[in-house]
Amino acid sequence: MQKKEKSFGIQMLSVQPDNKPKGCAGCNRKIKDRYLLKALDKYWHEDCLKCACCDCRLGEVGSTLYTKANLILCRRDYLRLFGVTGNCAACSKLIPAFEMVMRAKDNVYHLDCFACQLCNQRRTSLSMKIFRDFPGSPVVKTPCFLCWGHRFCVGDKFFLKNNMILCQTDYEEGLMKEGYAPQVLNANLLKP
């Protein structure tokens, strides 16, 4: 049977002057500071409760720590070492377990990839427009603003057709041309 990973809360407590000083689980010395941390049913100096990988002070980076394989870890290192990775539904590249993602149904996306896929196809297939401000001025290359991909933010409305993310313009064009009816969804930012 595989040992499950566990997350634990960290509490910052004020030391009461009339109480006997508690021993630190990290350095085994008495805690005489104004504040102490309580985690894993033990007491710690603020400087002694650290991530085994990056050495960050766990009381400063959040209210949770993780343990596995006799290590005390911050969330980022726990996910880096033991988290599950996956692939982006748009670009097929690996998404690290600690990275923020966007989800639509069963698909997972990098934040930068969560965009209208038809707009992005047009953007990558069309060349840059070339223009001059006035005769004799230097040539300026700029992307066509009409075909620049529509990226979605949290709460934005997007449409889903055959697991393809679409903006409202492309949805309506497809509705007129092909008569399909994609599902309407709202964008949600998800932690790993």
PDB file of all heavy atoms in Angstrom, residues 116-126 147 149 164:
ATOM      1  N   CYS A 116      -8.930  31.743 -28.434  1.00  0.00           N
ATOM      2  CA  CYS A 116      -9.715  31.263 -29.572  1.00  0.00           C
ATOM      3  C   CYS A 116      -8.771  30.575 -30.547  1.00  0.00           C
ATOM      4  O   CYS A 116      -7.813  31.168 -31.028  1.00  0.00           O
ATOM      5  CB  CYS A 116     -10.430  32.424 -30.251  1.00  0.00           C
ATOM      6  SG  CYS A 116     -11.309  31.908 -31.751  1.00  0.00           S
ATOM      7  N   GLN A 117      -9.045  29.324 -30.832  1.00  0.00           N
ATOM      8  CA  GLN A 117      -8.129  28.554 -31.666  1.00  0.00           C
ATOM      9  C   GLN A 117      -8.245  28.918 -33.135  1.00  0.00           C
ATOM     10  O   GLN A 117      -7.275  28.780 -33.882  1.00  0.00           O
ATOM     11  CB  GLN A 117      -8.322  27.064 -31.393  1.00  0.00           C
ATOM     12  CG  GLN A 117      -7.832  26.737 -29.991  1.00  0.00           C
ATOM     13  CD  GLN A 117      -8.239  25.389 -29.467  1.00  0.00           C
ATOM     14  OE1 GLN A 117      -9.170  24.772 -29.962  1.00  0.00           O
ATOM     15  NE2 GLN A 117      -7.549  24.932 -28.444  1.00  0.00           N
ATOM     16  N   LEU A 118      -9.370  29.430 -33.577  1.00  0.00           N
ATOM     17  CA  LEU A 118      -9.475  29.893 -34.968  1.00  0.00           C
ATOM     18  C   LEU A 118      -8.719  31.203 -35.144  1.00  0.00           C
ATOM     19  O   LEU A 118      -8.018  31.390 -36.144  1.00  0.00           O
ATOM     20  CB  LEU A 118     -10.938  30.044 -35.382  1.00  0.00           C
ATOM     21  CG  LEU A 118     -11.703  28.737 -35.568  1.00  0.00           C
ATOM     22  CD1 LEU A 118     -13.145  29.029 -35.976  1.00  0.00           C
ATOM     23  CD2 LEU A 118     -11.026  27.850 -36.583  1.00  0.00           C
ATOM     24  N   CYS A 119      -8.853  32.125 -34.192  1.00  0.00           N
ATOM     25  CA  CYS A 119      -8.088  33.380 -34.258  1.00  0.00           C
ATOM     26  C   CYS A 119      -6.592  33.072 -34.265  1.00  0.00           C
ATOM     27  O   CYS A 119      -5.829  33.667 -35.017  1.00  0.00           O
ATOM     28  CB  CYS A 119      -8.397  34.277 -33.072  1.00  0.00           C
ATOM     29  SG  CYS A 119     -10.029  35.036 -33.086  1.00  0.00           S
ATOM     30  N   ASN A 120      -6.157  32.135 -33.425  1.00  0.00           N
ATOM     31  CA  ASN A 120      -4.739  31.786 -33.361  1.00  0.00           C
ATOM     32  C   ASN A 120      -4.257  31.153 -34.652  1.00  0.00           C
ATOM     33  O   ASN A 120      -3.133  31.380 -35.081  1.00  0.00           O
ATOM     34  CB  ASN A 120      -4.465  30.847 -32.183  1.00  0.00           C
ATOM     35  CG  ASN A 120      -4.450  31.595 -30.873  1.00  0.00           C
ATOM     36  OD1 ASN A 120      -4.261  32.804 -30.845  1.00  0.00           O
ATOM     37  ND2 ASN A 120      -4.659  30.887 -29.782  1.00  0.00           N
ATOM     38  N   GLN A 121      -5.095  30.330 -35.315  1.00  0.00           N
ATOM     39  CA  GLN A 121      -4.708  29.740 -36.599  1.00  0.00           C
ATOM     40  C   GLN A 121      -4.507  30.833 -37.639  1.00  0.00           C
ATOM     41  O   GLN A 121      -3.542  30.823 -38.392  1.00  0.00           O
ATOM     42  CB  GLN A 121      -5.769  28.752 -37.082  1.00  0.00           C
ATOM     43  CG  GLN A 121      -5.782  27.459 -36.330  1.00  0.00           C
ATOM     44  CD  GLN A 121      -6.962  26.579 -36.730  1.00  0.00           C
ATOM     45  OE1 GLN A 121      -7.706  26.883 -37.658  1.00  0.00           O
ATOM     46  NE2 GLN A 121      -7.146  25.498 -35.991  1.00  0.00           N
ATOM     47  N   ARG A 122      -5.416  31.811 -37.664  1.00  0.00           N
ATOM     48  CA  ARG A 122      -5.284  32.913 -38.618  1.00  0.00           C
ATOM     49  C   ARG A 122      -4.041  33.729 -38.302  1.00  0.00           C
ATOM     50  O   ARG A 122      -3.319  34.140 -39.192  1.00  0.00           O
ATOM     51  CB  ARG A 122      -6.528  33.799 -38.580  1.00  0.00           C
ATOM     52  CG  ARG A 122      -7.718  33.182 -39.267  1.00  0.00           C
ATOM     53  CD  ARG A 122      -8.830  34.192 -39.482  1.00  0.00           C
ATOM     54  NE  ARG A 122      -9.326  34.762 -38.252  1.00  0.00           N
ATOM     55  CZ  ARG A 122     -10.312  34.246 -37.532  1.00  0.00           C
ATOM     56  NH1 ARG A 122     -10.893  33.135 -37.908  1.00  0.00           N
ATOM     57  NH2 ARG A 122     -10.719  34.848 -36.432  1.00  0.00           N
ATOM     58  N   ARG A 123      -3.787  33.952 -37.037  1.00  0.00           N
ATOM     59  CA  ARG A 123      -2.633  34.763 -36.633  1.00  0.00           C
ATOM     60  C   ARG A 123      -1.329  34.121 -37.084  1.00  0.00           C
ATOM     61  O   ARG A 123      -0.449  34.788 -37.593  1.00  0.00           O
ATOM     62  CB  ARG A 123      -2.611  34.956 -35.116  1.00  0.00           C
ATOM     63  CG  ARG A 123      -1.430  35.803 -34.667  1.00  0.00           C
ATOM     64  CD  ARG A 123      -1.386  35.948 -33.169  1.00  0.00           C
ATOM     65  NE  ARG A 123      -0.980  34.672 -32.611  1.00  0.00           N
ATOM     66  CZ  ARG A 123      -1.100  34.350 -31.350  1.00  0.00           C
ATOM     67  NH1 ARG A 123      -1.629  35.183 -30.504  1.00  0.00           N
ATOM     68  NH2 ARG A 123      -0.707  33.184 -30.915  1.00  0.00           N
ATOM     69  N   THR A 124      -1.192  32.815 -36.908  1.00  0.00           N
ATOM     70  CA  THR A 124       0.071  32.161 -37.259  1.00  0.00           C
ATOM     71  C   THR A 124       0.200  31.929 -38.752  1.00  0.00           C
ATOM     72  O   THR A 124       1.295  31.823 -39.266  1.00  0.00           O
ATOM     73  CB  THR A 124       0.214  30.819 -36.516  1.00  0.00           C
ATOM     74  OG1 THR A 124      -0.921  30.017 -36.791  1.00  0.00           O
ATOM     75  CG2 THR A 124       0.350  31.028 -35.029  1.00  0.00           C
ATOM     76  N   SER A 125      -0.919  31.884 -39.492  1.00  0.00           N
ATOM     77  CA  SER A 125      -0.823  31.626 -40.926  1.00  0.00           C
ATOM     78  C   SER A 125      -0.687  32.907 -41.746  1.00  0.00           C
ATOM     79  O   SER A 125      -0.220  32.870 -42.873  1.00  0.00           O
ATOM     80  CB  SER A 125      -2.030  30.824 -41.404  1.00  0.00           C
ATOM     81  OG  SER A 125      -3.199  31.591 -41.274  1.00  0.00           O
ATOM     82  N   LEU A 126      -1.110  34.044 -41.212  1.00  0.00           N
ATOM     83  CA  LEU A 126      -1.015  35.297 -41.964  1.00  0.00           C
ATOM     84  C   LEU A 126       0.315  35.977 -41.686  1.00  0.00           C
ATOM     85  O   LEU A 126       0.840  35.920 -40.592  1.00  0.00           O
ATOM     86  CB  LEU A 126      -2.155  36.242 -41.558  1.00  0.00           C
ATOM     87  CG  LEU A 126      -3.543  35.801 -41.987  1.00  0.00           C
ATOM     88  CD1 LEU A 126      -4.579  36.750 -41.441  1.00  0.00           C
ATOM     89  CD2 LEU A 126      -3.646  35.735 -43.502  1.00  0.00           C
ATOM     90  N   CYS A 147      -6.547  39.814 -36.991  1.00  0.00           N
ATOM     91  CA  CYS A 147      -6.397  38.370 -36.842  1.00  0.00           C
ATOM     92  C   CYS A 147      -5.591  38.019 -35.596  1.00  0.00           C
ATOM     93  O   CYS A 147      -5.157  36.894 -35.432  1.00  0.00           O
ATOM     94  CB  CYS A 147      -5.751  37.775 -38.088  1.00  0.00           C
ATOM     95  SG  CYS A 147      -4.167  38.507 -38.496  1.00  0.00           S
ATOM     96  N   GLY A 149      -4.978  36.752 -32.052  1.00  0.00           N
ATOM     97  CA  GLY A 149      -5.756  35.777 -31.285  1.00  0.00           C
ATOM     98  C   GLY A 149      -6.488  36.386 -30.098  1.00  0.00           C
ATOM     99  O   GLY A 149      -5.952  37.220 -29.397  1.00  0.00           O
ATOM    100  N   MET A 164     -12.808  22.539 -29.324  1.00  0.00           N
ATOM    101  CA  MET A 164     -12.072  23.697 -29.827  1.00  0.00           C
ATOM    102  C   MET A 164     -12.649  24.954 -29.170  1.00  0.00           C
ATOM    103  O   MET A 164     -13.858  25.163 -29.187  1.00  0.00           O
ATOM    104  CB  MET A 164     -12.192  23.794 -31.346  1.00  0.00           C
ATOM    105  CG  MET A 164     -11.393  24.945 -31.936  1.00  0.00           C
ATOM    106  SD  MET A 164     -11.640  25.153 -33.708  1.00  0.00           S
ATOM    107  CE  MET A 164     -10.740  23.748 -34.316  1.00  0.00           C
TER     108      MET A 164
END
